[in-house]
């Protein structure tokens, strides 16, 4: 039975289902398994399995208090026709690398991989732990996560989801995606304020003891769907195992042949999942961590110093515009030798001064990682050259990864076969992509641009874009930033 501890040492061990329900440990640390389990099926056996079966084989090892029936049920409900391909996460070969397409879910970005199963893991966890309350997910979003969470939780019985977004702070397509969200249990509110106001408002409601009491009396309790929940991390381990197994099945690699993995990184969740896969025994050689111009992680891997004190840059890969990569804490804990005290000390420094430095001994344990970054011009050039050479169009996040991989190869001459995590469909960032291809004439709206991209790439416009073109607006609530708690109360009728 795998138990979970806080990376800061506080509190007692909890089961996997309790960790999924709690999200964050009480002392502010992240839950970490007492050991990383080894794969119990051979790579050969895994190569014969469907995505869903691989998901079961991987997830059962981490979520060991879920029964076989419970977990299989969660998997069945998550990885179904919401995805536009039966293989869920296909591989495409282009420009000397295998692109692992993680964008075939409801919102055409990789967060669907985890957010389509998290709601099911949560309600199962609630049942297992005899919680009668409905789970209310409260989220502030700057655009993408909110929609992915809405899509994941929509019509999941026993849950409600409330999303706050800055009314004038998201793109027109992002807003349209959210306000057209179906589902009896969904509630989307625009606020007069920016993303920080939305975030602070949500934190305030979470921390309000009186509000919590009122919720409890009315049969509700809050939970959070953010990326530090192990219920988001564990499902992300699956697709690395699946990708390797598929390459083996297709004879692209031999059994146990090492491969590199390149991940466009923001919060460090996706690449951490690849590191977990490696620690389970998957033959991964290098983990290549790709950053955009917000290159905190690149500097960290180079120097051992994590320093968020710098200018925040807005880029064409907004989901990687992050200065504090919250999931990095799990890696820090691990390379500190599972020393919670040491980790806590560094995290305190981070919150006090925005900076910490790891020891030489810890740095030596980072040999598996390589950090790189790509600036805006390099990213655009990468999109264009891959399209010109292979006819394959990638989004700006994936292009950051592809570009860092090119730099890595030039620097190291490493010829190991490589998987690049492709985290968003080019249709999610149509304007940036068309601009990179030199095809943005400036005036066309995003849907017209999508039509042009389709003509150019020969790839059909995904339902996630096509569907909202004409979809009716179902949410039109707007409130002041000081009125968020009232909006929640009114929606829940409490
Ligand atoms: C969230 C996101 C990332 C970053 O993933 P992390 O797990 O936060 O490192 C990269 N690309 C896209 C498109 C994303 O939505």
């Amino acid at each position: 039975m795998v138990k979970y501890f806080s990376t800061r040492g506080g509190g007692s061990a909890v089961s996997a289902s309790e960790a999924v329900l709690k999200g964050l440990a009480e002392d502010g640390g992240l839950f970490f398994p007492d050991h990383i389990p080894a794969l119990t099926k051979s790579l050969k056996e895994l190569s014969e399995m469907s995505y869903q079966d691989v998901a079961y084989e991987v997830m059962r090892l981490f979520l060991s208090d879920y029964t076989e029936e419970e977990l299989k049920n969660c998997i069945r409900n998550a990885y179904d026709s919401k995805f536009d391909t039966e293989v869920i996460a296909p591989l495409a070969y282009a420009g000397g690398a295998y692109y692992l397409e993680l964008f075939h879910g409801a919102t055409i970005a990789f967060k669907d991989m985890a957010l389509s199963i998290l709601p099911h893991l949560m309600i199962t966890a609630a049942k297992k732990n005899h919680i009668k309350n409905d789970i209310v997910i409260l989220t502030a979003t700057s655009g993408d996560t909110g929609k992915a969470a809405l899509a994941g939780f929509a019509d999941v019985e026993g849950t409600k989801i409330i999303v706050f977004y800055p009314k004038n702070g998201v793109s027109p397509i992002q807003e349209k995606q959210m306000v057209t969200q179906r589902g009896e249990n969904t509630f989307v509110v625009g606020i007069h304020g920016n993303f920080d106001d939305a975030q602070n408002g949500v934190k305030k409601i979470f921390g309000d003891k009186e509000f919590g009491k009122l919720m409890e009396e009315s049969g509700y309790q809050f939970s959070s769907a953010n990326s530090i929940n192990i219920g988001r991390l564990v499902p992300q381990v699956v697709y690395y195992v699946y990708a390797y197994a598929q390459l083996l099945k297709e004879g692209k690699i031999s059994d146990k042949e090492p491969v590199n993995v390149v991940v466009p990184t923001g919060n460090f969740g996706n690449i951490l999942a690849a590191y977990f896969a490696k620690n389970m025994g998957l033959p991964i050689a290098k983990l290549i961590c790709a950053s955009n111009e917000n290159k905190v992680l690149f500097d960290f891997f180079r120097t051992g110093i994590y320093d968020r004190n710098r200018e925040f840059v807005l880029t064409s890969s907004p989901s990687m515009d992050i200065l504090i990569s919250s999931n990095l804490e799990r890696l820090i804990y691990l390379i500190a030798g599972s020393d919670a005290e040491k980790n806590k000390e560094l995290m305190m420094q981070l919150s006090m001064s925005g900076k910490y430095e790891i020891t030489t001994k810890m740095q030596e344990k980072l040999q598996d990682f390589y950090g790189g970054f790509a600036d805006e011009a390099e990213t655009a050039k990468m999109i264009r050259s891959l399209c010109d050479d292979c006819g394959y169009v990638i989004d700006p996040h994936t292009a950051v990864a592809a570009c860092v991989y090119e730099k890595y190869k030039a620097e190291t001459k490493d010829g190991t076969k490589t998987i690049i995590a492709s985290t968003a469909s080019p249709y999610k960032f149509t304007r940036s992509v068309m601009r990179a291809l030199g095809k943005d004439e400036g005036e066309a709206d995003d849907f017209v641009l999508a039509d042009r991209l389709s003509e150019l790439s020969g790839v059909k416009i995904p339902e996630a874009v096509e569907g909202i073109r004409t979809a009716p607006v179902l949410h039109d609530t707007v409130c002041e930033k000081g009125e968020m708690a009232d909006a929640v109360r009114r929606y829940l009728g409490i």
Side-chain angles (χ1 to χ4, degrees):
M1 186 74 83
V2 178
K3 289 276 186 186
Y4 289 80
F5 290 90
S6 167
T7 49
R8 299 189 192 173
S12 47
V14 300
S15 66
S17 65
E18 287 170 317
V20 166
L21 276 176
K22 286 180 193 285
L24 200 66
E26 265 150 45
D27 62 352
L30 277 52
F31 286 115
F32 202 91
D34 54 14
H35 68 284
I36 296 181
L39 289 168
T40 52
K41 290 278 193 296
S42 72
L43 298 168
K44 199 98 193 73
E45 285 170 297
L46 290 162
S47 74
E48 305 294 325
M49 292 183 192
S50 66
Y51 190 89
Q52 291 80 358
D53 289 346
V54 173
Y56 176 68
E57 285 306 325
V58 171
M59 291 177 63
R60 72 182 183 86
L61 300 171
F62 285 100
L63 307 180
S64 52
D65 71 322
Y66 286 71
T67 66
E68 175 171 352
E69 195 197 336
E70 285 168 345
L71 190 53
K72 285 193 169 163
N73 193 38
C74 291
I75 291 168
R76 203 173 325 111
N77 283 315
Y79 304 112
D80 60 7
S81 59
K82 287 192 282 302
F83 287 78
D84 66 9
T85 160
E86 261 173 37
V87 297
I88 309 295
L91 284 155
Y93 185 78
Y98 295 94
Y99 286 84
L100 175 59
E101 296 185 350
L102 303 173
F103 55 75
H104 289 271
T107 74
I108 57 176
F110 104 98
K111 294 195 176 58
D112 293 328
M113 300 303 294
L115 280 166
S116 51
I117 193 163
L118 180 71
H120 302 285
L121 295 175
M122 268 189 183
I123 52 166
T124 307
K127 279 193 202 114
K128 295 177 76 63
N129 291 284
H130 312 293
I131 286 164
K132 302 271 186 309
N133 293 336
D134 274 9
I135 307 283
V136 179
I137 300 293
L138 199 58
T139 305
T141 186
S142 54
D144 281 348
T145 310
K147 176 61 192 183
L150 282 165
F153 280 90
D155 289 326
V156 174
E157 217 173 296
T159 72
K160 290 191 188 300
I161 173 158
I162 305 173
V163 172
F164 290 99
Y165 72 96
K167 177 72 187 153
N168 297 313
V170 302
S171 79
I173 289 234
Q174 283 174 326
E175 178 169 38
K176 189 99 197 264
Q177 279 190 317
M178 289 192 279
V179 298
T180 58
Q181 178 64 48
R182 281 171 232 231
E184 285 296 315
N185 63 337
T186 64
F187 186 46
V188 180
V189 186
I191 68 153
H192 290 131
N194 59 25
F195 172 65
D196 280 337
D197 297 325
Q199 178 105 312
N200 289 335
V202 163
K203 275 193 191 149
K204 221 164 119 193
I205 300 172
F206 267 124
D208 185 339
K209 292 243 157 51
E210 281 297 307
F211 205 108
K213 228 173 91 199
L214 185 63
M215 293 275 290
E216 180 70 38
E217 285 162 9
S218 319
Y220 292 117
Q221 73 186 59
F222 284 127
S223 191
S224 134
N226 65 19
S227 86
I228 45 84
N229 195 311
I230 61 144
R232 280 187 60 181
L233 186 62
V234 170
Q236 294 178 180
V237 180
V238 174
Y239 46 74
Y240 290 106
V241 177
Y242 181 71
Y244 189 95
Q246 288 305 297
L247 289 178
L248 182 59
K249 180 181 171 185
E250 289 163 18
K252 303 289 196 316
I253 52 173
S254 56
D255 199 4
K256 305 199 179 59
E257 180 178 342
V259 298
N260 294 330
V261 169
V262 193
V263 186
T265 298
N267 238 333
F268 210 75
N270 200 1
I271 193 166
L272 186 73
Y275 188 59
F276 271 37
K278 179 180 166 83
N279 282 284
M280 294 180 87
L282 195 72
I284 293 176
K286 280 281 179 209
L287 296 131
I288 300 168
C289 175
S291 301
N292 64 21
E293 288 179 13
N294 296 290
K295 59 183 183 57
V296 194
L297 288 165
F298 166 79
D299 294 337
F300 170 71
F301 284 117
R302 256 322 106 118
T303 62
I305 298 170
Y306 193 95
D307 186 358
R308 64 148 299 172
N309 303 305
R310 60 183 74 205
E311 204 170 322
F312 178 78
V313 187
L314 286 172
T315 73
S316 59
S317 45
S319 302
M320 295 157 69
D321 291 343
I322 282 172
L323 293 181
I324 294 193
S325 302
S326 38
N327 265 298
L328 185 69
E329 177 169 348
R330 289 193 166 105
L331 181 66
I332 298 297
Y333 170 79
L334 207 60
I335 61 172
S338 303
D339 181 344
E341 276 311 308
K342 177 71 191 168
N343 173 63
K344 186 172 165 184
E345 183 194 312
L346 295 175
M347 293 308 133
M348 290 305 278
Q349 287 174 22
L350 180 63
S351 76
M352 306 293 273
S353 66
K355 189 174 161 175
Y356 61 81
E357 179 167 11
I358 60 172
T359 64
T360 328
K361 209 167 138 219
M362 288 166 75
Q363 221 176 329
E364 278 160 14
K365 293 193 195 156
L366 293 176
Q367 304 293 333
D368 293 336
F369 289 89
Y370 172 95
F373 77 100
D375 67 25
E376 287 291 278
E378 290 169 325
T379 304
K381 211 170 130 213
M382 187 70 224
I383 294 174
R384 182 133 187 192
S385 67
L386 195 65
C387 178
D388 287 349
D389 297 348
C390 316
Y392 187 63
V393 180
I394 54 177
D395 99 288
H397 301 76
T398 310
V400 167
C403 186
V404 166
Y405 177 52
E406 291 298 320
K407 292 185 182 182
Y408 168 80
K409 272 194 301 190
E411 185 185 318
T412 62
K413 309 283 183 279
D414 180 4
T416 307
K417 285 167 195 156
T418 295
I419 296 170
I420 296 177
S422 181
T423 51
S425 160
Y427 286 102
K428 184 134 201 168
F429 299 95
T430 318
R431 190 164 297 274
S432 302
V433 170
M434 291 301 272
R435 195 166 293 157
L437 295 175
K439 307 277 185 198
D440 177 16
E441 269 109 67
E443 69 287 348
D445 83 6
D446 287 25
F447 291 106
V448 175
L449 274 181
D451 288 332
R452 284 207 203 124
L453 176 56
S454 183
E455 277 164 34
L456 191 128
S457 65
V459 175
K460 212 174 129 236
I461 300 179
E463 182 52 30
V465 175
E466 204 52 76
I468 59 165
R469 206 191 277 249
T470 52
V473 171
L474 301 173
H475 304 268
D476 58 4
T477 309
V478 178
C479 76
E480 298 305 319
K481 59 189 182 194
E483 297 170 354
M484 290 168 59
D486 295 329
V488 172
R489 206 172 296 132
R490 229 173 301 128
Y491 172 64
L492 295 176
I494 62 176

